[in-house]
Amino acid sequence: MSQNAELFERACRSIPGGVNSPVRAFRSVGGTPRFIKRALGPHIWDAEGKQYIDYIGSWGPAILGHAHPEVVRAVQEAATGGLSFGAPTEAEIELAELLIQRLPSMEQVRLVSSGTEATMTAIRLARGATGRNKIIKFEGCYHGHSDSLLVKAGSGLLTLGNPSSAGVPPEFVSHTITLDYNNLPAVQTAFAEHGADIACIIVEPVAGNMNLIKPAAGFLQGLRDLCTQHGSVLIFDEVMTGFRVGPQGVQGLTGIKPDLTTLAKVIGGGMPVGAFGGSAELMRHIAPLGGVYQAGTLSGNPVAVAAGLATLRLIAQPGFYEDLSARTQRLAQGLAERARAAGVPFSADAIGGMFGLYFMPSVPATFAEVSTADTQAFKRFFHAMLDRGVHFAPSAFEAGFVSAAHDDAVLQTTLDHAEAVFKAIKQPA
């Protein structure tokens, strides 16, 4: 038995499913997860010492590559002063000021410890500020595992309150309206029927949790217009896209200003940090100023804040995003070209440092479309690439990530391996 298999068997005895987050279990692709020992730059090494090119990047935060020396140094220096205080620090102010400077939609920001906490509280804030109960989310967009967001759509566009997780009472999600991503007419219908009761729309402005799905032309602007018209709060969940697709996230690329923004991943540089922010008028509803309660012992943790500050300062260098985007486009286009040459139904897309791989002839625009991808072909591709030392996300429905450390040699190695793999998994005509 391999060391990875031994560790997984051992983990299953003490940890449910052997993992502390479900996608790590390899359930959708089969096989044994790799237990990671260390990481540096674009590479990770498993418990057996095997090296992989990593396109997960801790699910987005490792935008500079793993263990960037300046980020590590900032963490070490912060740790020598104490790991946690449960009291204010100057570094918290610096991070808040930097986020506000980078994202013009935010006048004030509250730091938390995770993206789930950020989105959960942003929705609570929207409800508290508007005095309304209903929220709109989109199928395939993941906003963390808080109860009111674990909902899937049933039959019909305006189905309410179908929990998609055991342990979530129907009453908790009875005010959640789940619609199709990129279907603006459905949102218009929802507002026509429930507009006076809708507190907010929460949306991944570029979806990354049903693979990479970009917004259709006019979709985000339509959401902005509807929220403005009906007095609802527009929440951009930029936990994944914030500072990953551009220096101001999706809102900077589109020029569309949300009322609230949620952040995590990159702003922590690999450490547990989340944030939500918006106008001072909205944020005044948060305790201790207002009646919407939120608290956290580790919020603004000094070590995590140090990692985030170091990361955000490094990615502000001129040309950083142009270079990152070019690298990611090269990967996506190169994979698509090699699949096409091998006769494999495949497409790819990219934005900033994010990419999507789809075993289907064209890039999907909705959850329903991406659900038709050939998951069996993806499984064969995933394991063949893993055997060759290239680690993609272990799911056909997750976006991938390129870092500044993925240089030309790393990308070329990836494409060379992919060329051989596509030829091996070629589908019958």
Side-chain angles (χ1 to χ4, degrees):
M1 182 183 292
S2 71
Q3 191 168 354
N4 284 307
E6 289 177 359
L7 287 170
F8 189 48
E9 184 179 273
R10 176 183 165 195
C12 287
R13 292 195 292 268
S14 56
I15 301 170
V19 293
N20 284 305
S21 191
V23 74
R24 301 176 192 174
F26 277 35
R27 287 291 181 90
S28 68
V29 293
T32 302
R34 302 306 189 259
F35 282 71
I36 306 307
K37 188 91 170 185
R38 67 185 182 97
L40 182 66
H43 296 110
I44 54 176
W45 286 261
D46 70 12
E48 298 170 18
K50 182 173 180 177
Q51 175 182 293
Y52 303 85
I53 299 171
D54 180 31
Y55 289 104
I56 300 175
S58 192
W59 301 100
I63 192 168
L64 294 165
H66 292 289
H68 189 283
E70 292 187 45
V71 177
V72 171
R73 189 179 306 116
V75 168
Q76 291 171 333
E77 291 175 357
T80 61
L83 300 180
S84 181
F85 311 128
T89 67
E90 184 177 359
E92 293 175 62
I93 306 172
E94 292 177 9
L95 182 54
E97 289 173 341
L98 188 54
L99 294 175
I100 292 166
Q101 176 189 346
R102 301 278 179 91
L103 296 178
S105 67
M106 297 201 306
E107 296 176 341
Q108 291 191 331
V109 61
R110 174 64 62 87
L111 300 182
V112 292
S113 297
S114 70
T116 289
E117 191 178 350
T119 55
M120 174 187 72
T121 314
I123 289 172
R124 183 183 301 158
L125 173 56
R127 283 172 161 155
T130 62
R132 303 173 182 178
N133 293 325
K134 285 185 169 54
I135 67 171
I136 290 177
K137 69 176 291 289
F138 297 94
E139 188 170 13
C141 287
Y142 177 71
H143 306 289
H145 59 271
S146 58
D147 285 348
S148 66
L149 294 171
L150 291 177
V151 188
K152 61 184 178 182
S155 59
L157 292 176
L158 299 179
T159 299
L160 299 179
N162 293 315
S164 56
S165 171
V168 178
E171 296 83 3
F172 280 31
V173 296
S174 62
H175 296 297
T176 301
I177 303 172
T178 306
L179 303 175
D180 293 328
Y181 188 78
N182 275 334
N183 188 338
L184 187 58
V187 187
Q188 292 167 337
T189 299
F191 271 98
E193 295 193 13
H194 303 285
D197 298 320
I198 295 173
C200 67
I201 295 174
I202 185 167
V203 63
E204 287 185 271
V206 170
N209 288 286
M210 53 176 162
N211 215 319
L212 177 71
I213 305 292
K214 293 178 181 176
F219 179 64
L220 295 178
Q221 185 61 58
L223 301 184
R224 173 68 279 171
D225 293 344
L226 285 165
C227 284
T228 301
Q229 178 184 345
H230 292 272
S232 302
V233 176
L234 178 60
I235 304 172
F236 272 11
D237 179 354
E238 297 227 45
V239 164
M240 187 175 286
T241 57
F243 304 109
R244 169 50 81 168
V245 301
Q248 295 180 328
V250 178
Q251 55 199 271
L253 297 178
T254 62
I256 296 170
K257 182 179 177 181
D259 299 301
L260 288 174
T261 300
T262 63
L263 300 164
K265 298 188 184 292
V266 169
I267 71 163
M271 297 289 285
V273 179
F276 63 95
S279 69
E281 176 64 20
L282 266 177
M283 296 299 286
R284 71 177 176 83
H285 292 278
I286 285 285
L289 296 179
V292 177
Y293 194 73
Q294 177 274 328
T297 298
L298 295 178
S299 295
N301 174 270
V303 181
V305 165
L309 281 169
T311 299
L312 289 172
R313 288 166 178 160
L314 286 165
I315 64 178
Q317 297 172 355
F320 177 87
Y321 284 100
E322 290 80 0
D323 184 58
L324 181 66
S325 296
R327 293 170 189 264
T328 312
Q329 289 287 349
R330 180 188 171 192
L331 175 69
Q333 292 173 5
L335 289 170
E337 289 168 359
R338 284 154 179 79
R340 190 180 311 116
V344 175
F346 180 90
S347 55
D349 203 1
I351 181 170
M354 293 174 62
F355 65 87
L357 310 178
Y358 326 94
F359 279 83
M360 54 196 307
S362 59
V363 173
T366 66
F367 179 76
E369 289 179 10
V370 78
S371 296
T372 67
D374 186 343
T375 56
Q376 294 304 312
F378 173 81
K379 290 179 186 179
R380 293 194 295 274
F381 173 81
F382 170 81
H383 280 290
M385 293 297 284
L386 193 66
D387 290 343
R388 289 171 171 266
V390 182
H391 201 316
F392 288 108
S395 169
F397 305 108
E398 295 283 355
F401 303 93
V402 170
S403 79
H406 286 77
D407 60 19
D408 288 342
V410 166
L411 295 175
Q412 189 59 52
T413 298
T414 303
L415 294 175
D416 289 345
H417 287 314
E419 183 172 4
V421 169
F422 281 129
K423 290 177 180 177
I425 65 171
K426 183 181 183 301
Q427 301 297 305

